Amino acid sequence: DTGVSQNPRHKITKRGQNVTFRCDPISEHNRLYWYRQTLGQGPEFLTYFQNEAQLEKSRLLSDRFSAERPKGSFSTLEIQRTEQGDSAMYLCASSLVGGQYSYEQYFGPGTRLTVT
Amino acid sequence: AQRVTQPEKLLSVFKGAPVELKCNYSYSGSPELFWYVQYSRQRLQLLLRHISRESIKGFTADLNKGETSFHLKKPFAQEEDSAMYYCALSGGSYIPTFGRGTSLIVHP
């Protein structure tokens, strides 16, 4: 296990198209987080899963966004009818909550989305 | 609501000079504070957390509840410290709020 992985690393799409990103967390981690990062800003929380349950969603997550984590393993983030404002880096992170290091998150390399 | 402020977008120093990256926070409860670092072409990674009170790569950060600050310090900067640094705060839900980041450039 080499850490959190994300695919694709880059995605260019036309406005109005749907896109889907995948995140594979560290295998023993029970939490998975999605963030969005735009230029000049820190990561902004979108949503997180505890095992397979989606427990919280940010108000940043519009109805066009949906995330799943079937079987509590990998997760997908889908954006429908993309808009130019969706252009950003989408980060995934995982953590093991319940022990001494519950707060520590391990980040993936991100998927950079460009909507033209 | 929780908020993290990093007032400096860019901090430029020479090698060997002291470094202080500022972070102020707003949170009504008892916060968990962190510094994350992102080196060029690498992923975001945890640098240190306040509760561990350890020094990582020569960096330390002390939580000052009176001033609601968690500044990151290093007495002698090295060129390899050049990176983006993000201060983050977690409340009880383990969901961090990040500051906008400070770019540290250490000149030779």
Side-chain angles (χ1 to χ4, degrees), chain B residues 47-66:
Chain B
L47 179 62
L48 55 80
R49 53 188 296 210
H50 89 271
I51 200 168
S52 59
R53 301 185 64 82
E54 55 190 345
S55 173
I56 304 292
K57 299 184 179 183
F59 285 97
T60 58
D62 290 318
L63 176 59
N64 185 322
K65 291 187 177 181

Side-chain angles (χ1 to χ4, degrees), chain A residues 103, chain B residues 2 27 29-34 88-97:
Chain A
Y103 286 99
Chain B
Q2 51 194 58
Y27 183 63
S30 185
E32 289 280 343
L33 284 148
F34 306 84
L89 178 156
S90 284
S93 63
Y94 307 112
I95 300 172
T97 297

Side-chain angles (χ1 to χ4, degrees), chain A residues 4 31 35 37 103 105 107, chain B residues 32 34 43 86 93-94 96 99:
Chain A
V4 179
R31 277 215 184 175
Y35 296 87
Q37 186 174 21
Y103 286 99
Q105 298 194 8
F107 282 81
Chain B
E32 289 280 343
F34 306 84
R43 62 187 67 190
Y86 295 94
S93 63
Y94 307 112

Side-chain angles (χ1 to χ4, degrees), chain A residues 3-4 31 33 35 37 40-43 45 48 56 97 100-105 107-109, chain B residues 9 32 34 36 38 43-46 49 86 90-101:
Chain A
V4 179
R31 277 215 184 175
Y33 303 79
Y35 296 87
Q37 186 174 21
Q41 300 297 322
F45 169 75
Y48 86 90
E56 189 166 336
V97 170
Q100 180 182 2
Y101 302 104
S102 292
Y103 286 99
E104 294 187 18
Q105 298 194 8
F107 282 81
Chain B
K9 289 182 68 174
E32 289 280 343
F34 306 84
Y36 282 81
Q38 188 168 26
R43 62 187 67 190
L44 195 61
Q45 57 185 285
L46 180 67
R49 53 188 296 210
Y86 295 94
S90 284
S93 63
Y94 307 112
I95 300 172
T97 297
F98 288 85
R100 66 175 181 173

Side-chain angles (χ1 to χ4, degrees), chain A residues 87-102:
Chain A
S87 295
M89 178 74 85
Y90 289 85
L91 296 170
C92 175
S94 69
S95 67
L96 180 61
V97 170
Q100 180 182 2
Y101 302 104
S102 292

Side-chain angles (χ1 to χ4, degrees), chain A residues 1-6 24-27 94 106-109, chain B residues 43:
Chain A
D1 193 340
T2 56
V4 179
S5 61
Q6 292 185 246
D24 287 89
I26 294 173
S27 57
S94 69
Y106 293 80
F107 282 81
Chain B
R43 62 187 67 190

